[in-house]
Amino acid sequence: RPPRSTLFPYTTLFRSSKRSEMKHEIVIRGLDNIGQAAEQFLKETAGHTIIAFYAPMGAGKTTFTTALCHRLGVSEDAVSSPTFSIVNEYRTSGGDSIYHFDFYRITRVEEAFDIGLYDYLDSGSLCLIEWPENIEQILPEETLKVTIAVLPDESRVISWED
């Protein structure tokens, strides 16, 4: 594995000891490279329609989601955090829907049912979820769980297993 200081972004792939999962990592050294990282993430996660981002406050969940949406052709000014609305819908350049959820303010899973969560998740459209911890027990099994970690140098590591 090359030292992190020599590459940006790079992906590390290795077999996990459990099942036959592959662990993926993308390092984001700064906002200058977030578009490239988003493009790489989209290529490596192709086929997944429900993606949940686990990260502490301020780690960059909304920033990375915005970069993903821009790479998919969503207008530059269309993406915003759905903290109060819980869900925002965006349209890609091809006319496809993307659903962006922010469950930070959810205190009961029933609130997720009230907005019709499963209708969105079953739509086949890309669903990007922030603060999935608050609805963990009702997320479908096929949800791709992605972690964003903040390193001491303020770079970010996006990681997941599939």
Coordinates of all heavy atoms in Angstrom, one line a residue, residues 26 28 31 33-46 48-54 60-76 78-80 90-94 96-101 126-130 144 146-148 158-160:
I26 N -11.0 6.0 -0.5 CA -10.6 7.2 -1.3 C -10.1 8.3 -0.3 O -10.9 8.6 0.6 CB -11.7 7.7 -2.2 CG1 -12.2 6.6 -3.1 CG2 -11.3 8.9 -3.0 CD1 -13.4 6.9 -3.9
I28 N -9.3 12.1 0.3 CA -9.5 13.5 -0.2 C -8.6 14.4 0.6 O -8.9 14.7 1.7 CB -11.0 13.9 -0.1 CG1 -11.9 12.9 -0.8 CG2 -11.2 15.3 -0.7 CD1 -13.3 13.1 -0.6
L31 N -10.4 20.3 -1.0 CA -11.6 20.6 -1.9 C -11.2 20.7 -3.3 O -12.0 20.5 -4.2 CB -12.2 21.9 -1.4 CG -13.0 21.8 -0.1 CD1 -13.6 23.2 0.3 CD2 -14.1 20.8 -0.2
N33 N -9.7 18.6 -5.0 CA -9.7 17.3 -5.6 C -11.0 16.5 -5.3 O -11.2 15.4 -5.6 CB -8.6 16.4 -5.1 CG -7.2 17.1 -5.4 OD1 -6.7 17.7 -4.5 ND2 -6.8 17.0 -6.6
I34 N -12.0 17.2 -4.7 CA -13.2 16.5 -4.3 C -14.0 16.0 -5.6 O -14.6 15.0 -5.5 CB -14.1 17.4 -3.4 CG1 -15.1 16.5 -2.7 CG2 -14.7 18.6 -4.1 CD1 -15.8 17.1 -1.5
G35 N -14.0 16.8 -6.6 CA -14.7 16.4 -7.9 C -14.1 15.1 -8.4 O -14.8 14.2 -8.8
Q36 N -12.8 15.0 -8.4 CA -12.1 13.8 -8.9 C -12.5 12.6 -8.0 O -12.7 11.5 -8.4 CB -10.6 14.0 -8.9 CG -9.8 12.8 -9.4 CD -8.3 13.1 -9.3 OE1 -7.9 14.2 -9.0 NE2 -7.5 12.1 -9.7
A37 N -12.5 12.8 -6.7 CA -12.8 11.8 -5.7 C -14.3 11.3 -5.9 O -14.6 10.1 -5.8 CB -12.6 12.3 -4.3
A38 N -15.2 12.3 -6.1 CA -16.6 12.0 -6.3 C -16.8 11.1 -7.6 O -17.5 10.1 -7.6 CB -17.4 13.3 -6.5
E39 N -16.1 11.5 -8.7 CA -16.1 10.7 -9.9 C -15.6 9.2 -9.7 O -16.3 8.3 -10.1 CB -15.3 11.4 -11.0 CG -15.5 10.7 -12.3 CD -14.8 11.5 -13.4 OE1 -14.8 12.8 -13.3 OE2 -14.3 10.9 -14.4
Q40 N -14.5 9.1 -8.9 CA -14.0 7.8 -8.6 C -15.0 7.0 -7.8 O -15.2 5.8 -8.0 CB -12.7 7.9 -7.9 CG -12.0 6.6 -7.6 CD -10.6 6.9 -7.0 OE1 -10.1 8.0 -6.9 NE2 -10.1 5.8 -6.4
F41 N -15.6 7.6 -6.8 CA -16.6 7.0 -5.9 C -17.7 6.5 -6.7 O -18.2 5.4 -6.5 CB -17.0 8.0 -4.8 CG -18.0 7.4 -3.9 CD1 -17.6 6.7 -2.8 CD2 -19.4 7.6 -4.1 CE1 -18.6 6.1 -1.9 CE2 -20.3 7.1 -3.2 CZ -19.9 6.4 -2.1
L42 N -18.2 7.3 -7.6 CA -19.4 6.9 -8.4 C -19.1 5.7 -9.3 O -19.9 4.8 -9.5 CB -19.9 8.1 -9.3 CG -20.6 9.2 -8.5 CD1 -20.7 10.4 -9.4 CD2 -21.9 8.7 -8.0
K43 N -17.9 5.7 -9.9 CA -17.4 4.5 -10.7 C -17.4 3.2 -9.8 O -17.8 2.2 -10.2 CB -16.1 4.8 -11.3 CG -16.1 5.7 -12.5 CD -14.8 6.0 -13.0 CE -14.8 7.0 -14.1 NZ -13.5 7.5 -14.5
E44 N -16.8 3.4 -8.6 CA -16.6 2.2 -7.8 C -17.9 1.7 -7.1 O -17.9 0.6 -6.6 CB -15.5 2.5 -6.8 CG -14.1 2.6 -7.4 CD -13.0 2.8 -6.4 OE1 -13.1 2.3 -5.3 OE2 -12.0 3.4 -6.8
T45 N -18.9 2.6 -7.0 CA -20.1 2.2 -6.3 C -21.2 2.0 -7.3 O -22.4 1.9 -6.9 CB -20.5 3.2 -5.2 OG1 -20.7 4.5 -5.8 CG2 -19.4 3.3 -4.1
A46 N -20.9 2.0 -8.6 CA -22.0 1.8 -9.6 C -22.8 0.6 -9.3 O -22.3 -0.4 -8.9 CB -21.3 1.7 -11.0
H48 N -25.1 0.5 -6.9 CA -25.7 0.8 -5.6 C -26.6 2.0 -5.7 O -26.2 3.0 -6.2 CB -24.6 1.1 -4.5 CG -23.8 -0.1 -4.2 ND1 -24.2 -1.1 -3.3 CD2 -22.6 -0.5 -4.6 CE1 -23.2 -2.0 -3.2 NE2 -22.2 -1.7 -4.0
T49 N -27.8 1.8 -5.2 CA -28.8 3.0 -5.3 C -29.0 3.6 -3.9 O -29.6 4.7 -3.8 CB -30.1 2.6 -5.9 OG1 -30.7 1.5 -5.2 CG2 -29.9 2.2 -7.4
I50 N -28.7 2.9 -2.8 CA -28.9 3.4 -1.5 C -27.6 3.5 -0.8 O -26.9 2.5 -0.5 CB -29.9 2.5 -0.7 CG1 -31.2 2.3 -1.4 CG2 -30.1 3.1 0.7 CD1 -32.1 1.3 -0.8
I51 N -27.1 4.7 -0.5 CA -25.8 5.0 0.0 C -26.0 5.8 1.3 O -26.5 6.9 1.3 CB -24.9 5.7 -1.0 CG1 -24.8 4.8 -2.3 CG2 -23.5 5.9 -0.4 CD1 -24.0 5.4 -3.4
A52 N -25.5 5.3 2.4 CA -25.6 5.9 3.7 C -24.2 6.4 4.1 O -23.2 5.6 4.1 CB -26.2 5.0 4.7
F53 N -24.1 7.7 4.5 CA -22.8 8.3 4.9 C -22.8 8.5 6.4 O -23.6 9.2 7.0 CB -22.6 9.6 4.2 CG -22.5 9.5 2.8 CD1 -23.5 9.7 1.9 CD2 -21.2 9.2 2.2 CE1 -23.4 9.6 0.5 CE2 -21.1 9.0 0.8 CZ -22.1 9.3 0.0
Y54 N -21.8 7.8 7.0 CA -21.6 7.8 8.5 C -20.4 8.7 8.8 O -19.3 8.4 8.2 CB -21.3 6.4 9.1 CG -22.5 5.5 8.9 CD1 -22.8 4.9 7.8 CD2 -23.4 5.3 10.0 CE1 -23.9 4.0 7.6 CE2 -24.5 4.5 9.9 CZ -24.7 3.8 8.7 OH -25.8 3.0 8.6
G60 N -18.0 16.5 6.4 CA -18.1 16.7 4.9 C -19.1 15.9 4.2 O -19.0 15.7 3.0
K61 N -20.1 15.4 4.9 CA -21.1 14.6 4.3 C -21.9 15.4 3.2 O -22.0 14.9 2.1 CB -22.2 14.1 5.3 CG -21.6 13.1 6.4 CD -22.6 12.7 7.4 CE -23.1 13.7 8.3 NZ -22.0 14.3 9.2
T62 N -22.3 16.6 3.6 CA -23.1 17.4 2.6 C -22.1 17.9 1.5 O -22.5 17.9 0.3 CB -23.7 18.6 3.3 OG1 -24.6 18.1 4.3 CG2 -24.5 19.4 2.3
T63 N -20.9 18.2 1.8 CA -20.0 18.6 0.8 C -19.7 17.5 -0.2 O -19.7 17.7 -1.5 CB -18.7 19.1 1.4 OG1 -19.0 20.2 2.3 CG2 -17.6 19.6 0.4
F64 N -19.5 16.3 0.3 CA -19.2 15.2 -0.6 C -20.5 14.8 -1.5 O -20.4 14.6 -2.7 CB -18.7 14.0 0.1 CG -18.2 12.9 -0.8 CD1 -17.1 13.1 -1.6 CD2 -18.8 11.6 -0.8 CE1 -16.6 12.1 -2.5 CE2 -18.3 10.6 -1.7 CZ -17.2 10.9 -2.5
T65 N -21.7 14.9 -0.8 CA -22.9 14.6 -1.5 C -23.1 15.6 -2.6 O -23.5 15.3 -3.8 CB -24.1 14.7 -0.5 OG1 -24.0 13.6 0.4 CG2 -25.4 14.5 -1.2
T66 N -22.8 16.9 -2.4 CA -22.9 18.0 -3.4 C -21.9 17.6 -4.6 O -22.3 17.8 -5.7 CB -22.5 19.3 -2.8 OG1 -23.4 19.6 -1.7 CG2 -22.6 20.4 -3.8
A67 N -20.7 17.2 -4.3 CA -19.8 16.8 -5.3 C -20.3 15.7 -6.2 O -20.2 15.7 -7.4 CB -18.4 16.5 -4.7
L68 N -20.9 14.7 -5.5 CA -21.5 13.5 -6.2 C -22.6 14.0 -7.2 O -22.6 13.6 -8.3 CB -22.0 12.5 -5.3 CG -21.0 11.8 -4.4 CD1 -21.8 10.9 -3.3 CD2 -20.1 10.9 -5.2
C69 N -23.5 14.9 -6.7 CA -24.6 15.4 -7.5 C -24.1 16.2 -8.6 O -24.6 16.1 -9.8 CB -25.5 16.2 -6.6 SG -26.5 15.2 -5.4
H70 N -23.1 17.0 -8.4 CA -22.5 17.8 -9.5 C -21.9 16.9 -10.6 O -22.1 17.2 -11.8 CB -21.4 18.8 -9.0 CG -22.0 19.9 -8.2 ND1 -21.3 20.7 -7.4 CD2 -23.3 20.3 -8.0 CE1 -22.0 21.6 -6.8 NE2 -23.3 21.4 -7.1
R71 N -21.2 15.8 -10.2 CA -20.7 14.9 -11.2 C -21.8 14.2 -12.0 O -21.5 13.7 -13.1 CB -19.8 13.9 -10.5 CG -18.5 14.4 -10.1 CD -17.7 14.8 -11.3 NE -16.4 15.4 -10.8 CZ -15.4 15.7 -11.7 NH1 -15.6 15.6 -12.9 NH2 -14.3 16.2 -11.2
L72 N -22.9 14.1 -11.4 CA -24.1 13.5 -12.1 C -24.9 14.5 -12.9 O -25.9 14.1 -13.5 CB -24.9 12.7 -11.1 CG -24.3 11.5 -10.5 CD1 -25.1 11.0 -9.3 CD2 -24.1 10.4 -11.5
G73 N -24.4 15.7 -12.9 CA -25.1 16.7 -13.8 C -26.1 17.6 -13.1 O -26.9 18.2 -13.8
V74 N -26.2 17.5 -11.8 CA -27.2 18.4 -11.1 C -26.6 19.8 -11.1 O -25.4 20.0 -10.9 CB -27.4 17.9 -9.6 CG1 -28.2 18.9 -8.8 CG2 -27.9 16.5 -9.6
S75 N -27.5 20.7 -11.3 CA -27.1 22.1 -11.4 C -26.3 22.6 -10.2 O -26.6 22.2 -9.1 CB -28.3 23.0 -11.6 OG -28.2 24.2 -11.0
E76 N -25.2 23.4 -10.4 CA -24.3 23.8 -9.3 C -25.0 24.4 -8.1 O -24.7 24.1 -7.0 CB -23.4 24.9 -9.8 CG -22.3 24.4 -10.8 CD -21.3 23.6 -10.1 OE1 -20.9 23.8 -9.0 OE2 -20.8 22.6 -10.8
A78 N -28.3 23.9 -7.1 CA -29.5 23.1 -6.8 C -29.3 22.3 -5.5 O -30.3 22.0 -4.8 CB -29.9 22.2 -7.9
V79 N -28.1 21.9 -5.1 CA -27.8 21.0 -4.0 C -27.7 21.8 -2.7 O -26.9 22.8 -2.6 CB -26.6 20.2 -4.2 CG1 -26.4 19.2 -3.1 CG2 -26.7 19.4 -5.5
S80 N -28.5 21.4 -1.7 CA -28.4 22.0 -0.4 C -28.7 20.9 0.7 O -29.4 19.9 0.3 CB -29.3 23.2 -0.2 OG -30.7 22.8 -0.4
Y90 N -33.3 16.1 -6.5 CA -32.5 16.8 -7.6 C -32.7 16.0 -8.9 O -33.0 14.8 -8.8 CB -31.0 16.8 -7.2 CG -30.7 17.3 -5.8 CD1 -30.0 16.4 -5.0 CD2 -31.1 18.5 -5.3 CE1 -29.7 16.8 -3.7 CE2 -30.8 18.9 -4.0 CZ -30.1 18.0 -3.2 OH -29.8 18.4 -1.9
R91 N -32.4 16.7 -10.0 CA -32.5 16.0 -11.3 C -31.1 16.1 -11.9 O -30.5 17.1 -11.9 CB -33.5 16.8 -12.2 CG -34.9 16.6 -11.8 CD -35.5 15.3 -12.2 NE -36.8 15.2 -11.7 CZ -37.6 14.2 -11.8 NH1 -37.1 13.1 -12.4 NH2 -38.8 14.1 -11.4
T92 N -30.7 14.9 -12.4 CA -29.4 14.9 -13.1 C -29.6 15.5 -14.5 O -30.7 15.7 -15.0 CB -28.9 13.4 -13.3 OG1 -29.8 12.7 -14.2 CG2 -28.9 12.7 -12.0
S93 N -28.5 15.7 -15.2 CA -28.6 16.2 -16.6 C -29.4 15.3 -17.5 O -29.9 15.7 -18.5 CB -27.2 16.4 -17.2 OG -26.4 15.2 -17.1
G94 N -29.5 14.0 -17.1 CA -30.2 13.0 -17.9 C -31.7 12.9 -17.5 O -32.4 12.1 -18.0
D96 N -32.8 12.0 -14.5 CA -33.0 11.0 -13.4 C -33.1 11.8 -12.0 O -32.4 12.8 -11.8 CB -31.9 10.0 -13.3 CG -31.8 9.2 -14.6 OD1 -32.9 8.8 -15.1 OD2 -30.7 8.9 -15.0
S97 N -33.9 11.2 -11.1 CA -34.0 11.7 -9.8 C -32.9 11.3 -8.9 O -32.4 10.1 -9.0 CB -35.3 11.4 -9.1 OG -36.4 12.0 -9.8
I98 N -32.4 12.1 -8.0 CA -31.5 11.8 -6.9 C -32.2 12.3 -5.6 O -32.7 13.4 -5.6 CB -30.2 12.5 -7.0 CG1 -29.4 12.0 -8.2 CG2 -29.3 12.2 -5.7 CD1 -28.1 12.8 -8.5
Y99 N -32.3 11.4 -4.6 CA -32.9 11.8 -3.3 C -31.8 12.0 -2.3 O -31.0 11.0 -2.1 CB -34.0 10.8 -2.9 CG -35.1 10.7 -3.9 CD1 -35.3 9.6 -4.7 CD2 -36.0 11.8 -4.0 CE1 -36.3 9.5 -5.6 CE2 -37.0 11.7 -5.0 CZ -37.2 10.6 -5.7 OH -38.2 10.5 -6.7
H100 N -31.8 13.1 -1.6 CA -30.8 13.4 -0.6 C -31.5 13.6 0.7 O -32.3 14.5 0.9 CB -30.1 14.7 -1.1 CG -29.1 15.2 -0.1 ND1 -28.6 16.5 -0.2 CD2 -28.4 14.7 0.9 CE1 -27.7 16.7 0.7 NE2 -27.6 15.6 1.4
F101 N -31.2 12.7 1.6 CA -31.8 12.7 3.0 C -30.9 13.2 4.0 O -29.7 12.9 4.0 CB -32.2 11.3 3.3 CG -33.2 10.6 2.4 CD1 -32.8 9.9 1.3 CD2 -34.6 10.8 2.7 CE1 -33.7 9.3 0.4 CE2 -35.5 10.2 1.8 CZ -35.0 9.5 0.7
L126 N -31.1 7.0 -7.2 CA -30.0 7.1 -6.2 C -30.5 7.8 -5.0 O -31.1 8.9 -5.1 CB -28.8 7.9 -6.8 CG -27.6 8.1 -6.0 CD1 -27.0 6.7 -5.6 CD2 -26.6 8.9 -6.7
C127 N -30.3 7.2 -3.8 CA -30.7 7.8 -2.5 C -29.4 8.0 -1.7 O -28.7 7.0 -1.4 CB -31.6 6.9 -1.8 SG -33.2 6.7 -2.6
L128 N -29.1 9.2 -1.3 CA -27.9 9.5 -0.6 C -28.4 10.0 0.8 O -29.2 10.9 1.0 CB -27.1 10.7 -1.2 CG -26.7 10.4 -2.7 CD1 -26.2 11.6 -3.3 CD2 -25.7 9.2 -2.7
I129 N -27.9 9.3 1.9 CA -28.4 9.5 3.2 C -27.4 10.0 4.2 O -26.3 9.3 4.4 CB -29.0 8.1 3.7 CG1 -30.1 7.6 2.8 CG2 -29.6 8.3 5.2 CD1 -30.5 6.2 3.1
E130 N -27.7 11.1 4.8 CA -26.8 11.6 5.9 C -27.5 11.3 7.2 O -28.7 11.3 7.3 CB -26.7 13.1 5.7 CG -26.0 13.6 4.5 CD -25.7 15.1 4.4 OE1 -25.4 15.7 5.5 OE2 -25.9 15.7 3.3
L144 N -25.5 0.6 1.1 CA -24.0 0.7 1.1 C -23.7 1.6 2.2 O -24.0 2.8 2.2 CB -23.5 1.2 -0.3 CG -22.0 1.3 -0.3 CD1 -21.3 -0.1 -0.2 CD2 -21.6 1.9 -1.6
V146 N -21.1 3.8 4.1 CA -19.9 4.6 3.8 C -19.5 5.4 5.0 O -20.3 6.1 5.6 CB -20.1 5.5 2.5 CG1 -18.8 6.3 2.2 CG2 -20.5 4.7 1.3
T147 N -18.2 5.3 5.3 CA -17.7 6.1 6.4 C -16.8 7.2 5.9 O -16.0 7.0 5.0 CB -16.9 5.2 7.4 OG1 -17.7 4.2 7.9 CG2 -16.3 6.0 8.6
I148 N -17.0 8.4 6.5 CA -16.1 9.5 6.2 C -15.3 9.8 7.5 O -15.9 10.2 8.5 CB -16.8 10.8 5.7 CG1 -17.7 10.5 4.5 CG2 -15.8 12.0 5.5 CD1 -18.5 11.6 4.0
I158 N -12.8 8.4 2.6 CA -14.1 7.8 2.3 C -13.8 6.3 2.2 O -13.0 5.9 1.5 CB -14.6 8.3 1.0 CG1 -14.5 9.8 0.9 CG2 -16.0 7.8 0.8 CD1 -15.4 10.6 1.7
S159 N -14.5 5.5 3.0 CA -14.3 4.1 3.0 C -15.6 3.3 3.1 O -16.6 3.8 3.6 CB -13.4 3.6 4.1 OG -13.9 3.9 5.4
W160 N -15.6 2.1 2.4 CA -16.8 1.2 2.4 C -16.3 -0.2 2.1 O -15.2 -0.4 1.6 CB -17.8 1.7 1.5 CG -17.5 1.6 0.0 CD1 -17.8 0.6 -0.8 CD2 -16.7 2.6 -0.7 NE1 -17.3 0.9 -2.1 CE2 -16.6 2.1 -2.0 CE3 -16.0 3.8 -0.4 CZ2 -15.9 2.7 -3.0 CZ3 -15.3 4.4 -1.4 CH2 -15.2 3.9 -2.7

